[in-house]
Amino acid sequence: MKLIITENYEQSAELAAQMMLDVVTEKADALLGLATGTTPVPVYRYMVEAVQQKKTDFGRVRTINLDEYIGLDGEDSNSYLYFMRKHLLDACQIPPERVMIPNGMADTQAELDRMNAFADANPIDVQLLSVGANGHIGFNEPSDVFYDRYHAVKLTQKTRESNSRLFSSIEEVPTEAITMGTGGIMRAKKIVFLATGEEKLDAMKKILEDGEVTPDCQGTILKFHQDCTLFLDKGMADQIRPAPYVEVRRV
Ligand code: GLP
């Protein structure tokens, strides 16, 4: 794991975006693994700027998303398809045929089969990632095991509460989701990882400090990834003591 300590979150987002864009410069039809939540929003802003200013060509880029709520239609403003269209896909003119995201309204098993068939045949060139307050990645909630491929999950109360800020009430937050497995995330060739905010500090300590790799905090498995770069602003990084093998760089 490489840790890049930045002055502030805005700088983290800009550097993370540049890393995503560099992959596309090297491989025009790169498969970008995408994430949702508030953390990646400024990353997408920088990516959109680069595409609109014609610094990077997204004419052949393909995307695959980590997860989607079960029961939300793509037109629902809380669905992850809606989020992706709003923050990246429409502005970069990436058409639906180059976008893989679980359909929360379709038959769940059929959707899992569709996502898994694609994911098995198409390695992710770079995966953008953040973490939930309980250390989940994608929607891989604390568990006794690490799941490998796309699967359906029941969301924990903590996750529903945390994500309820984007809904009008907690009752509206779906109880289930489809998510890429932790195994699928680990198969991405490169991972660009960001976290910000006090509520993520505990999880980030478990991920960065010397300690167990445990499905109880799914993000800890990132310690085993060969090409994972984590961006943290100094406010958070200074409260963490990375394990000795973490390559740390301040910018
Ligand atoms: C959701 C997503 C995760 C994301 C997490 C954190 O639960 N499934 O992929 O990392 O939210 O979101 P935020 O960045 O808003 O804190």
Side-chain angles (χ1 to χ4, degrees), residues 35-40 66-67 69 80 129-133 136-140 155 159 162-163 165-166 179 196 199-200:
T36 52
T38 42
T39 310
L66 287 172
D67 46 17
Y69 289 115
Y80 288 166
L129 198 64
S130 185
V131 68
H136 74 216
I137 49 176
F139 265 136
N140 293 281
L155 301 178
T159 295
S162 159
N163 291 5
R165 66 189 190 281
L166 305 168
T179 183
T196 186
E199 72 282 11
K200 308 287 173 71

Side-chain angles (χ1 to χ4, degrees), residues 54-73:
K54 303 204 184 314
K55 290 182 183 154
T56 312
D57 182 1
F58 267 29
R60 292 174 59 204
V61 157
R62 300 165 302 141
T63 68
I64 182 164
N65 264 79
L66 287 172
D67 46 17
E68 178 61 286
Y69 289 115
I70 293 179
L72 294 193
D73 185 85

